[in-house]
Amino acid sequence: MTVDLRSDTVTKPTPGMLDAMFSAKVGDDVFGEDETVNELEQKAAAIFGMEAGIFCPSGTMTNQIGIKCFTQPLDELITDQTSHVYRYEGGGIAFNSSVSTRLLNGPRGIITAEMIAPEINVINDHYPRTSLVVLENTVNRGGGCCYTLEHIKPIAALCKAKGLKLHLDGARIFNALTSTGDKASDYGRYFDGISVCLSKGLGAPVGSVFLADKETIKYARRVRKVLGGGMRQAGFLAAAGIYALDHHVERLKIDHAHAQILAGELAKCSWVSNILPVETNLVSFDTVEPAAAVLKKLADHGIEALSTAPNRIRFVLHLDVHPDQIEYAVKALEKVDS
């Protein structure tokens, strides 16, 4: 048996999702004529209390569109130094939007209003204009830790007072909501833009939705076109997203429970030196030996994973990891330990 814990992006569409995809009603989305895409955009916007949305091929694109919509060249955005928009989007902040980045160092990637406030530049020709704050929920490199609405509210209040926009990289936003119990519909009160990924824990094969007000989304469609993200009969993909929102949100708690089981077993292993607190579907842990050596041992026992630092490994639970595979993984970890 092989247990693939590399990422929650490795999932395959379920039979029900495939049925929805094959039966989708489609049209040319660039002309605004794909009714399934339109339905997905409206559905996602309603869930988060936002006015409108735009369907894109990836979360990187929705994040980059959001940054482009909320900044001007020579501006600066504020984010944590571990954030996906900074580390894993190919330098797109500078390339696509011509803005600089002010990096903070929050505990496990969680930044606060108190950290942000002194980093907002005063108006001065020598400084870039601070115009945007970007949060990530959950924080990938923080081991899947979550912002709660109580964390977000003072940041949103600061941004409003200072005239800044607030964007959320919601790569695993439904994992965060499952953990915190917060309501998705409340998010629209605090964020100017939200990127909602459908191809991680929700199990869709492709796509993210960028949510904002109608005027921002109107401009976002132009930016998407320039970035090459205009798709035609995209309803086949959007149907998977609709199915995921209808059927795969509630089951995320299963992934969280599986993560807790593996974290409990790792705590018994002598080759593990530290485990980050597990809040969602990510288990990040430090190893005594170099991570590369441990990954080889894990692979020999049928467990696939990735390293995120020289001595850190990440397990990611998802809908294609079943209870029998968790049982197998627990026994495999015992063998690695021996």
Side-chain angles (χ1 to χ4, degrees), residues 94-165:
F95 185 79
N96 295 315
S97 297
S98 299
V99 303
S100 60
T101 305
R102 181 74 63 93
L103 298 175
L104 305 183
N105 189 17
R108 296 178 63 201
I110 299 288
I111 60 177
T112 65
E114 291 74 18
M115 296 173 65
I116 295 167
E119 304 302 326
I120 299 173
N121 289 329
V122 297
I123 301 301
N124 185 303
D125 287 347
H126 293 85
Y127 307 141
R129 183 180 71 100
T130 307
S131 58
L132 176 65
V133 174
V134 179
L135 307 181
E136 180 182 343
N137 212 10
T138 64
V139 182
N140 181 2
R141 288 181 65 89
C145 60
C146 307
Y147 282 92
T148 67
L149 277 176
E150 292 308 307
H151 289 128
I152 293 166
K153 288 176 183 178
I155 296 175
L158 173 66
C159 289
K160 184 175 182 180
K162 296 295 185 177
L164 312 184
K165 298 295 186 180

Side-chain angles (χ1 to χ4, degrees), residues 225-275:
K225 178 65 176 177
V226 171
L227 294 177
M231 299 178 285
R232 301 301 178 173
Q233 289 72 36
F236 295 115
L237 300 175
I242 294 171
Y243 185 91
L245 291 171
D246 287 342
H247 298 280
H248 290 169
V249 173
E250 183 66 22
R251 64 151 309 282
L252 290 174
K253 60 182 140 184
I254 298 173
D255 300 337
H256 295 188
H258 286 166
Q260 292 291 342
I261 292 171
L262 293 186
E265 187 59 35
L266 287 167
K268 304 173 187 177
C269 297
S270 61
W271 46 273
V272 175
S273 60
N274 178 58
I275 305 171

Side-chain angles (χ1 to χ4, degrees), residues 4 29 40 46 58 63 89 103 128 145 228 263 289 329 332:
D4 194 341
D29 179 49
L40 171 63
S58 70
N63 283 330
E89 298 188 5
L103 298 175
C145 60
E289 295 181 86

